[in-house]
Amino acid sequence: MGTKFAFIKGFNFFVYGAISVYSTFFALYLQGLGWSMVEIGALLAGGPVVSIVANPLWGYLSDRTRNLRLILIIMLSGAMVMLSIVFATESPTVIYCFMLFFFFFQMPLFSQSNSLILNSIEGTSHNFGAFRLWGSLGWAVLAVLSGPIIDMVGIEQLWVLVLAMMLMSILFALGLPRGGAADNRLGGGDPAKSSFRSVFSNGFFLLFLFLGLLLSIPNAMNQTFISIYIAELGGNANMIGWAAFLSSVFEIPVFLLLDKYLKRSMSTMMLCLVGASLLFAVRWGLMAATDTAYGVLAVQVMHCITFGGFYYIGTRMTAMLVPSQFRASGQALYALIYGGLSGMIAGVFGGWLFQELGAKAMYSVGAGLALVGIGGYLIMYRLGRRREAAETAG
Protein backbone atom coordinates (compact mmCIF):
# COMPACT_ATOMS: atom_id res chain seq x y z
CA MET A 1 0.00 0.00 0.00
CA GLY A 2 2.77 2.42 0.97
CA THR A 3 4.74 1.59 -2.18
CA LYS A 4 1.86 2.48 -4.48
CA PHE A 5 1.50 5.87 -2.80
CA ALA A 6 5.26 6.46 -3.16
CA PHE A 7 4.99 5.79 -6.90
CA ILE A 8 2.11 8.29 -7.16
CA LYS A 9 4.29 10.95 -5.50
CA GLY A 10 7.30 10.21 -7.72
CA PHE A 11 5.11 10.18 -10.82
CA ASN A 12 3.59 13.57 -9.96
CA PHE A 13 7.05 15.02 -9.31
CA PHE A 14 8.41 14.11 -12.73
CA VAL A 15 5.32 14.56 -14.88
CA TYR A 16 4.68 18.05 -13.52
CA GLY A 17 8.42 18.79 -13.74
CA ALA A 18 8.57 17.74 -17.39
CA ILE A 19 5.59 19.90 -18.36
CA SER A 20 6.99 22.75 -16.25
CA VAL A 21 10.30 22.81 -18.13
CA TYR A 22 8.51 22.47 -21.47
CA SER A 23 5.94 25.21 -20.77
CA THR A 24 8.45 27.57 -19.12
CA PHE A 25 11.01 27.56 -21.91
CA PHE A 26 9.24 26.42 -25.10
CA ALA A 27 8.05 29.90 -26.11
CA LEU A 28 11.64 31.10 -25.73
CA TYR A 29 12.79 28.14 -27.86
CA LEU A 30 10.34 29.10 -30.62
CA GLN A 31 11.42 32.74 -30.42
CA GLY A 32 14.98 31.52 -30.98
CA LEU A 33 13.73 29.90 -34.21
CA GLY A 34 12.49 33.32 -35.34
CA TRP A 35 8.80 32.97 -34.52
CA SER A 36 6.68 36.06 -33.75
CA MET A 37 4.42 36.47 -30.69
CA VAL A 38 1.29 35.85 -32.76
CA GLU A 39 2.80 32.72 -34.33
CA ILE A 40 3.82 31.38 -30.91
CA GLY A 41 0.40 32.16 -29.45
CA ALA A 42 -1.38 30.55 -32.39
CA LEU A 43 0.66 27.37 -32.02
CA LEU A 44 0.15 27.09 -28.28
CA ALA A 45 -3.55 27.82 -28.73
CA GLY A 46 -3.69 24.60 -30.75
CA GLY A 47 -3.34 22.62 -27.52
CA PRO A 48 -6.62 23.85 -26.06
CA VAL A 49 -8.35 23.30 -29.41
CA VAL A 50 -7.19 19.69 -29.44
CA SER A 51 -8.10 19.29 -25.77
CA ILE A 52 -11.76 19.87 -26.63
CA VAL A 53 -11.64 16.36 -28.12
CA ALA A 54 -8.75 14.90 -26.13
CA ASN A 55 -9.97 15.59 -22.58
CA PRO A 56 -13.42 14.00 -22.94
CA LEU A 57 -12.02 11.11 -24.99
CA TRP A 58 -9.28 10.16 -22.53
CA GLY A 59 -11.66 10.73 -19.62
CA TYR A 60 -14.19 8.36 -21.21
CA LEU A 61 -11.50 5.74 -21.89
CA SER A 62 -10.32 5.98 -18.28
CA ASP A 63 -13.85 5.52 -16.93
CA ARG A 64 -14.53 2.73 -19.41
CA THR A 65 -11.35 0.71 -18.79
CA ARG A 66 -11.05 1.49 -15.04
CA ASN A 67 -7.28 1.47 -15.66
CA LEU A 68 -5.87 4.99 -15.31
CA ARG A 69 -2.32 3.63 -15.08
CA LEU A 70 -2.51 2.21 -18.61
CA ILE A 71 -4.11 5.40 -19.96
CA LEU A 72 -1.39 7.57 -18.38
CA ILE A 73 1.40 5.39 -19.80
CA ILE A 74 -0.12 5.57 -23.29
CA MET A 75 -0.50 9.36 -23.07
CA LEU A 76 3.04 9.90 -21.80
CA SER A 77 4.57 7.60 -24.43
CA GLY A 78 2.67 9.31 -27.22
CA ALA A 79 3.60 12.78 -25.97
CA MET A 80 7.26 11.83 -25.74
CA VAL A 81 7.38 10.50 -29.32
CA MET A 82 5.61 13.57 -30.74
CA LEU A 83 7.85 16.02 -28.90
CA SER A 84 10.95 14.14 -30.09
CA ILE A 85 9.88 14.82 -33.68
CA VAL A 86 9.14 18.50 -32.92
CA PHE A 87 12.60 19.09 -31.46
CA ALA A 88 14.25 17.31 -34.41
CA THR A 89 13.03 19.84 -37.00
CA GLU A 90 12.90 23.58 -37.62
CA SER A 91 10.13 23.37 -40.24
CA PRO A 92 7.11 25.40 -39.04
CA THR A 93 4.74 23.06 -40.88
CA VAL A 94 6.14 19.94 -39.22
CA ILE A 95 6.23 21.64 -35.81
CA TYR A 96 2.59 22.73 -36.12
CA CYS A 97 1.49 19.27 -37.21
CA PHE A 98 3.24 17.22 -34.56
CA MET A 99 2.57 19.71 -31.76
CA LEU A 100 -1.12 19.05 -32.36
CA PHE A 101 -0.50 15.33 -31.85
CA PHE A 102 1.62 16.15 -28.78
CA PHE A 103 -1.24 18.19 -27.32
CA PHE A 104 -3.63 15.29 -27.90
CA PHE A 105 -1.58 13.15 -25.52
CA GLN A 106 -0.32 15.86 -23.14
CA MET A 107 -3.31 18.09 -22.37
CA PRO A 108 -5.33 15.56 -20.31
CA LEU A 109 -2.34 14.34 -18.25
CA PHE A 110 -3.00 16.43 -15.14
CA SER A 111 -6.74 15.79 -14.97
CA GLN A 112 -6.26 12.05 -15.32
CA SER A 113 -3.48 11.99 -12.73
CA ASN A 114 -5.82 13.87 -10.37
CA SER A 115 -8.47 11.22 -10.96
CA LEU A 116 -5.95 8.48 -10.16
CA ILE A 117 -5.08 10.21 -6.88
CA LEU A 118 -8.72 10.72 -5.89
CA ASN A 119 -9.67 7.14 -6.72
CA SER A 120 -6.62 5.68 -4.98
CA ILE A 121 -7.14 7.58 -1.70
CA GLU A 122 -10.90 7.06 -1.55
CA GLY A 123 -11.76 5.29 1.69
CA THR A 124 -8.33 6.00 3.22
CA SER A 125 -7.07 8.68 5.60
CA HIS A 126 -4.95 10.29 2.87
CA ASN A 127 -5.70 13.76 1.49
CA PHE A 128 -5.51 14.96 -2.11
CA GLY A 129 -3.16 17.86 -1.34
CA ALA A 130 -0.52 15.60 0.20
CA PHE A 131 -0.05 13.96 -3.23
CA ARG A 132 -0.67 16.99 -5.47
CA LEU A 133 2.04 18.95 -3.64
CA TRP A 134 4.62 16.60 -5.18
CA GLY A 135 3.56 17.95 -8.55
CA SER A 136 4.17 21.51 -7.35
CA LEU A 137 7.55 20.45 -5.96
CA GLY A 138 8.53 18.88 -9.29
CA TRP A 139 7.28 21.93 -11.21
CA ALA A 140 9.33 24.28 -9.01
CA VAL A 141 12.56 22.33 -8.49
CA LEU A 142 13.07 20.97 -12.01
CA ALA A 143 12.31 24.34 -13.63
CA VAL A 144 14.75 26.25 -11.43
CA LEU A 145 17.47 23.62 -11.96
CA SER A 146 16.92 23.76 -15.72
CA GLY A 147 17.43 27.55 -15.91
CA PRO A 148 21.23 27.64 -15.36
CA ILE A 149 21.66 24.50 -17.48
CA ILE A 150 19.91 26.17 -20.41
CA ASP A 151 21.96 29.33 -19.87
CA MET A 152 25.08 27.18 -20.12
CA VAL A 153 24.24 24.84 -23.04
CA GLY A 154 21.75 27.00 -24.94
CA ILE A 155 17.99 26.92 -25.44
CA GLU A 156 18.41 24.61 -28.45
CA GLN A 157 19.26 21.80 -25.99
CA LEU A 158 15.88 22.08 -24.26
CA TRP A 159 14.86 18.74 -25.77
CA VAL A 160 17.37 16.79 -23.65
CA LEU A 161 15.90 18.03 -20.36
CA VAL A 162 12.24 17.65 -21.31
CA LEU A 163 12.53 14.16 -22.80
CA ALA A 164 14.67 12.88 -19.90
CA MET A 165 12.00 13.99 -17.42
CA MET A 166 9.20 12.46 -19.49
CA LEU A 167 11.11 9.16 -19.53
CA MET A 168 11.36 9.28 -15.73
CA SER A 169 7.59 9.89 -15.59
CA ILE A 170 6.94 6.75 -17.64
CA LEU A 171 9.20 4.67 -15.38
CA PHE A 172 7.29 5.80 -12.28
CA ALA A 173 3.96 5.28 -14.08
CA LEU A 174 4.77 1.57 -14.38
CA GLY A 175 4.46 1.28 -10.58
CA LEU A 176 1.17 3.18 -10.27
CA PRO A 177 -2.04 1.50 -9.07
CA ARG A 178 -4.74 0.94 -11.69
CA GLY A 179 -6.64 3.90 -10.23
CA GLY A 180 -10.11 2.87 -11.39
CA ALA A 181 -13.15 3.99 -9.39
CA ALA A 182 -15.53 1.40 -8.04
CA ASP A 183 -18.34 0.74 -10.48
CA ASN A 184 -21.41 1.76 -8.51
CA ARG A 185 -23.72 2.68 -11.34
CA LEU A 186 -27.33 1.68 -10.96
CA GLY A 187 -28.40 -0.28 -13.97
CA GLY A 188 -26.84 -0.28 -17.42
CA GLY A 189 -26.63 2.31 -20.12
CA ASP A 190 -23.90 4.10 -21.96
CA PRO A 191 -21.47 5.61 -19.43
CA ALA A 192 -20.56 8.44 -21.78
CA LYS A 193 -24.20 9.53 -22.15
CA SER A 194 -24.83 9.13 -18.44
CA SER A 195 -21.78 11.21 -17.51
CA PHE A 196 -22.65 14.03 -19.88
CA ARG A 197 -26.27 13.99 -18.72
CA SER A 198 -25.27 14.22 -15.05
CA VAL A 199 -22.83 17.09 -15.71
CA PHE A 200 -24.78 19.22 -18.19
CA SER A 201 -27.98 19.07 -16.16
CA ASN A 202 -26.16 20.67 -13.21
CA GLY A 203 -26.54 24.44 -13.67
CA PHE A 204 -24.52 25.22 -10.56
CA PHE A 205 -21.55 23.27 -11.92
CA LEU A 206 -21.85 24.88 -15.36
CA LEU A 207 -21.79 28.36 -13.81
CA PHE A 208 -18.72 27.31 -11.85
CA LEU A 209 -17.03 26.19 -15.08
CA PHE A 210 -17.85 29.49 -16.82
CA LEU A 211 -16.36 31.58 -14.03
CA GLY A 212 -13.35 29.28 -13.97
CA LEU A 213 -12.88 30.02 -17.66
CA LEU A 214 -12.79 33.78 -17.00
CA LEU A 215 -10.16 33.39 -14.28
CA SER A 216 -8.11 30.91 -16.28
CA ILE A 217 -7.67 33.06 -19.39
CA PRO A 218 -5.24 35.60 -17.84
CA ASN A 219 -3.47 32.81 -15.97
CA ALA A 220 -2.92 31.00 -19.29
CA MET A 221 -1.72 34.24 -20.93
CA ASN A 222 0.80 34.67 -18.14
CA GLN A 223 2.02 31.07 -18.40
CA THR A 224 2.42 31.34 -22.17
CA PHE A 225 4.21 34.68 -22.40
CA ILE A 226 5.93 35.31 -19.05
CA SER A 227 9.27 33.92 -20.27
CA ILE A 228 9.28 36.39 -23.17
CA TYR A 229 8.15 39.21 -20.85
CA ILE A 230 11.05 38.50 -18.47
CA ALA A 231 13.48 38.38 -21.40
CA GLU A 232 12.16 41.73 -22.68
CA LEU A 233 12.78 43.23 -19.23
CA GLY A 234 16.41 42.05 -19.30
CA GLY A 235 16.10 38.67 -17.58
CA ASN A 236 17.85 35.44 -18.63
CA ALA A 237 16.93 31.72 -18.62
CA ASN A 238 18.05 31.39 -15.02
CA MET A 239 15.56 34.09 -13.95
CA ILE A 240 12.84 32.43 -16.01
CA GLY A 241 13.48 29.19 -14.11
CA TRP A 242 13.27 31.05 -10.81
CA ALA A 243 9.93 32.53 -11.90
CA ALA A 244 8.57 29.00 -12.34
CA PHE A 245 10.08 27.98 -8.99
CA LEU A 246 8.57 30.89 -7.05
CA SER A 247 5.17 30.36 -8.66
CA SER A 248 4.99 26.74 -7.54
CA VAL A 249 7.07 25.95 -4.48
CA PHE A 250 4.76 27.83 -2.11
CA GLU A 251 1.78 25.87 -3.43
CA ILE A 252 2.95 23.07 -1.12
CA PRO A 253 1.97 24.76 2.19
CA VAL A 254 -1.19 26.07 0.51
CA PHE A 255 -2.30 22.52 -0.39
CA LEU A 256 -1.44 21.23 3.09
CA LEU A 257 -3.38 24.06 4.78
CA LEU A 258 -6.39 23.53 2.52
CA ASP A 259 -6.27 19.80 3.25
CA LYS A 260 -6.39 20.52 6.95
CA TYR A 261 -8.67 23.53 7.31
CA LEU A 262 -10.90 23.90 4.24
CA LYS A 263 -14.48 23.05 5.14
CA ARG A 264 -16.06 20.78 2.54
CA SER A 265 -19.09 22.98 1.88
CA MET A 266 -20.03 24.87 -1.29
CA SER A 267 -20.54 28.21 0.46
CA THR A 268 -17.13 28.07 2.15
CA MET A 269 -15.41 27.12 -1.11
CA MET A 270 -17.17 29.97 -2.93
CA LEU A 271 -15.94 32.51 -0.38
CA CYS A 272 -12.41 31.18 -0.87
CA LEU A 273 -12.80 31.63 -4.62
CA VAL A 274 -13.98 35.22 -4.09
CA GLY A 275 -10.74 35.82 -2.18
CA ALA A 276 -8.69 34.09 -4.90
CA SER A 277 -10.34 36.27 -7.58
CA LEU A 278 -9.50 39.42 -5.63
CA LEU A 279 -5.87 38.33 -5.33
CA PHE A 280 -5.82 37.47 -9.04
CA ALA A 281 -6.93 41.06 -9.80
CA VAL A 282 -4.17 42.44 -7.56
CA ARG A 283 -1.61 40.08 -9.10
CA TRP A 284 -2.34 41.06 -12.70
CA GLY A 285 -2.45 44.74 -11.74
CA LEU A 286 1.02 44.46 -10.22
CA MET A 287 2.32 42.60 -13.29
CA ALA A 288 1.07 45.46 -15.47
CA ALA A 289 2.77 48.01 -13.20
CA THR A 290 6.23 46.41 -12.85
CA ASP A 291 9.13 47.56 -14.99
CA THR A 292 11.82 45.04 -14.00
CA ALA A 293 12.38 41.31 -14.30
CA TYR A 294 12.91 41.14 -10.55
CA GLY A 295 9.49 42.74 -10.07
CA VAL A 296 7.96 39.94 -12.14
CA LEU A 297 9.70 37.35 -9.94
CA ALA A 298 8.29 38.98 -6.81
CA VAL A 299 4.72 39.03 -8.16
CA GLN A 300 4.99 35.38 -9.25
CA VAL A 301 4.99 34.35 -5.58
CA MET A 302 1.26 35.19 -5.55
CA HIS A 303 0.65 32.28 -7.92
CA CYS A 304 0.67 29.84 -5.00
CA ILE A 305 -2.39 31.46 -3.40
CA THR A 306 -4.25 32.52 -6.53
CA PHE A 307 -3.94 29.58 -8.91
CA GLY A 308 -3.05 27.10 -6.13
CA GLY A 309 -6.29 27.81 -4.26
CA PHE A 310 -8.36 28.02 -7.44
CA TYR A 311 -6.99 24.73 -8.77
CA TYR A 312 -7.35 22.82 -5.48
CA ILE A 313 -10.91 24.00 -4.78
CA GLY A 314 -11.97 23.41 -8.38
CA THR A 315 -10.67 19.85 -8.30
CA ARG A 316 -12.42 19.12 -5.00
CA MET A 317 -15.69 20.73 -6.11
CA THR A 318 -15.68 18.74 -9.33
CA ALA A 319 -15.26 15.57 -7.28
CA MET A 320 -18.22 16.66 -5.10
CA LEU A 321 -20.55 17.61 -7.94
CA VAL A 322 -19.84 14.73 -10.36
CA PRO A 323 -20.71 11.10 -9.46
CA SER A 324 -17.62 9.08 -8.52
CA GLN A 325 -18.02 6.56 -11.37
CA PHE A 326 -17.71 9.49 -13.83
CA ARG A 327 -14.90 11.22 -11.94
CA ALA A 328 -12.35 10.99 -14.76
CA SER A 329 -14.85 12.52 -17.20
CA GLY A 330 -15.69 15.28 -14.71
CA GLN A 331 -12.04 16.12 -14.12
CA ALA A 332 -11.46 16.04 -17.88
CA LEU A 333 -14.26 18.59 -18.37
CA TYR A 334 -12.83 20.81 -15.63
CA ALA A 335 -9.39 20.57 -17.27
CA LEU A 336 -10.99 21.39 -20.62
CA ILE A 337 -12.08 24.72 -19.13
CA TYR A 338 -9.03 25.81 -17.11
CA GLY A 339 -6.41 24.35 -19.47
CA GLY A 340 -8.33 24.03 -22.73
CA LEU A 341 -10.71 26.79 -23.76
CA SER A 342 -8.86 29.32 -21.61
CA GLY A 343 -5.55 28.42 -23.25
CA MET A 344 -7.06 28.70 -26.72
CA ILE A 345 -8.34 32.21 -26.01
CA ALA A 346 -5.13 33.14 -24.19
CA GLY A 347 -2.89 31.98 -27.03
CA VAL A 348 -4.66 33.91 -29.79
CA PHE A 349 -6.04 36.92 -27.90
CA GLY A 350 -3.08 37.15 -25.50
CA GLY A 351 -0.58 36.87 -28.36
CA TRP A 352 -2.34 39.69 -30.22
CA LEU A 353 -2.49 41.87 -27.09
CA PHE A 354 1.19 41.29 -26.33
CA GLN A 355 2.34 42.02 -29.87
CA GLU A 356 0.06 44.98 -30.65
CA LEU A 357 -0.45 46.68 -27.27
CA GLY A 358 2.27 45.21 -25.05
CA ALA A 359 2.43 43.02 -21.98
CA LYS A 360 1.05 45.72 -19.68
CA ALA A 361 -2.20 45.85 -21.64
CA MET A 362 -2.44 42.06 -21.58
CA TYR A 363 -2.14 41.97 -17.80
CA SER A 364 -4.60 44.86 -17.38
CA VAL A 365 -7.23 42.86 -19.28
CA GLY A 366 -6.50 39.95 -16.94
CA ALA A 367 -7.17 42.15 -13.90
CA GLY A 368 -10.54 43.13 -15.39
CA LEU A 369 -11.56 39.49 -15.92
CA ALA A 370 -10.63 38.70 -12.31
CA LEU A 371 -12.92 41.50 -11.10
CA VAL A 372 -15.80 39.92 -13.03
CA GLY A 373 -14.96 36.63 -11.30
CA ILE A 374 -15.42 38.25 -7.88
CA GLY A 375 -19.02 39.17 -8.71
CA GLY A 376 -19.75 35.76 -10.19
CA TYR A 377 -18.45 33.81 -7.20
CA LEU A 378 -20.42 36.06 -4.82
CA ILE A 379 -23.56 35.04 -6.71
CA MET A 380 -22.54 31.39 -6.43
CA TYR A 381 -21.93 31.86 -2.71
CA ARG A 382 -25.54 32.99 -2.23
CA LEU A 383 -26.80 30.09 -4.36
CA GLY A 384 -24.68 27.66 -2.35
CA ARG A 385 -26.04 28.98 0.95
CA ARG A 386 -29.62 28.54 -0.28
CA ARG A 387 -28.83 25.05 -1.48
CA GLU A 388 -27.32 24.05 1.84
CA ALA A 389 -30.24 25.58 3.75
CA ALA A 390 -32.71 23.64 1.60
CA GLU A 391 -30.81 20.37 2.19
CA THR A 392 -30.71 21.02 5.94
CA ALA A 393 -34.44 21.80 6.03
CA GLY A 394 -35.19 18.69 3.98
Side-chain angles (χ1 to χ4, degrees), residues 190-271:
D190 185 340
K193 293 180 180 178
S194 299
S195 63
F196 283 120
R197 208 165 34 235
S198 66
V199 170
F200 286 105
S201 62
N202 189 335
F204 189 85
F205 184 53
L206 292 179
L207 178 57
F208 170 75
L209 292 178
F210 174 73
L211 294 173
L213 173 64
L214 294 184
L215 255 67
S216 297
I217 290 171
N219 195 75
M221 289 192 295
N222 179 67
Q223 184 175 339
T224 300
F225 297 107
I226 188 172
S227 61
I228 297 174
Y229 188 36
I230 291 174
E232 282 191 354
L233 294 175
N236 54 22
N238 191 30
M239 292 184 70
I240 293 168
W242 274 105
F245 177 85
L246 292 172
S247 70
S248 301
V249 70
F250 296 112
E251 284 182 350
I252 296 171
V254 170
F255 288 143
L256 292 176
L257 288 171
L258 289 172
D259 266 344
K260 187 171 184 179
Y261 294 110
L262 180 65
K263 185 179 178 182
R264 301 297 194 266
S265 74
M266 291 183 189
S267 58
T268 300
M269 291 185 178
M270 287 303 110
L271 277 182

Side-chain angles (χ1 to χ4, degrees), residues 87-365:
F87 280 122
T89 182
E90 294 186 5
S91 165
T93 303
V94 176
I95 290 174
Y96 266 105
C97 179
F98 283 94
M99 279 300 293
L100 292 179
F101 286 109
F102 166 73
F103 291 137
F104 175 77
F105 293 105
Q106 177 263 325
M107 290 299 291
L109 274 173
F110 292 163
S111 65
Q112 297 310 299
S113 65
N114 287 342
S115 297
L116 183 138
I117 294 172
L118 291 166
N119 290 342
S120 299
I121 66 175
E122 193 163 21
T124 74
S125 59
H126 294 279
N127 291 312
F128 173 75
F131 291 89
R132 176 54 181 80
L133 67 82
W134 284 88
S136 297
L137 189 63
W139 188 285
V141 171
L142 295 180
V144 77
L145 291 178
S146 297
I149 296 174
I150 290 173
D151 265 341
M152 183 170 57
V153 302
I155 191 67
E156 63 274 7
Q157 302 301 320
L158 177 63
W159 68 274
V160 178
L161 297 172
V162 177
L163 296 182
M165 293 173 196
M166 294 189 79
L167 179 59
M168 289 298 298
S169 302
I170 293 173
L171 293 177
F172 272 95
L174 296 173
L176 293 174
R178 285 173 60 92
D183 190 354
N184 52 12
R185 287 192 301 267
L186 297 177
D190 185 340
K193 293 180 180 178
S194 299
S195 63
F196 283 120
R197 208 165 34 235
S198 66
V199 170
F200 286 105
S201 62
N202 189 335
F204 189 85
F205 184 53
L206 292 179
L207 178 57
F208 170 75
L209 292 178
F210 174 73
L211 294 173
L213 173 64
L214 294 184
L215 255 67
S216 297
I217 290 171
N219 195 75
M221 289 192 295
N222 179 67
Q223 184 175 339
T224 300
F225 297 107
I226 188 172
S227 61
I228 297 174
Y229 188 36
I230 291 174
E232 282 191 354
L233 294 175
N236 54 22
N238 191 30
M239 292 184 70
I240 293 168
W242 274 105
F245 177 85
L246 292 172
S247 70
S248 301
V249 70
F250 296 112
E251 284 182 350
I252 296 171
V254 170
F255 288 143
L256 292 176
L257 288 171
L258 289 172
D259 266 344
K260 187 171 184 179
Y261 294 110
L262 180 65
K263 185 179 178 182
R264 301 297 194 266
S265 74
M266 291 183 189
S267 58
T268 300
M269 291 185 178
M270 287 303 110
L271 277 182
C272 289
L273 288 173
V274 170
S277 301
L278 177 60
L279 290 174
F280 261 129
V282 173
R283 179 185 174 190
W284 304 135
L286 290 173
M287 287 289 277
T290 188
D291 291 314
T292 67
Y294 286 106
V296 173
L297 295 186
V299 177
Q300 274 294 92
V301 176
M302 295 183 68
H303 180 90
C304 65
I305 302 174
T306 51
F307 182 74
F310 168 74
Y311 177 90
Y312 180 100
I313 294 170
T315 301
R316 296 302 302 184
M317 278 201 66
T318 301
M320 288 171 56
L321 295 171
V322 177
S324 62
Q325 65 268 30
F326 303 128
R327 185 169 285 151
S329 295
Q331 293 295 336
L333 183 58
Y334 178 57
L336 177 62
I337 297 299
Y338 83 77
L341 293 178
S342 63
M344 179 172 59
I345 297 169
V348 177
F349 182 51
W352 178 84
L353 279 173
F354 198 122
Q355 181 164 299
E356 300 299 324
L357 302 176
K360 294 184 183 299
M362 182 184 77
Y363 285 114
S364 296
V365 170

Side-chain angles (χ1 to χ4, degrees), residues 35-95:
W35 290 40
S36 70
M37 299 295 177
V38 172
E39 289 171 332
I40 293 170
L43 172 64
L44 298 182
V49 173
V50 172
S51 76
I52 294 174
V53 174
N55 271 296
L57 174 61
W58 289 110
Y60 170 74
L61 291 174
S62 297
D63 287 331
R64 187 79 175 185
T65 62
R66 307 263 186 254
N67 192 342
L68 276 159
R69 176 183 61 208
L70 175 62
I71 296 299
L72 286 168
I73 291 172
I74 293 172
M75 287 193 294
L76 275 167
S77 301
M80 187 173 176
V81 170
M82 295 304 112
L83 208 54
S84 299
I85 298 172
V86 168
F87 280 122
T89 182
E90 294 186 5
S91 165
T93 303
V94 176
I95 290 174

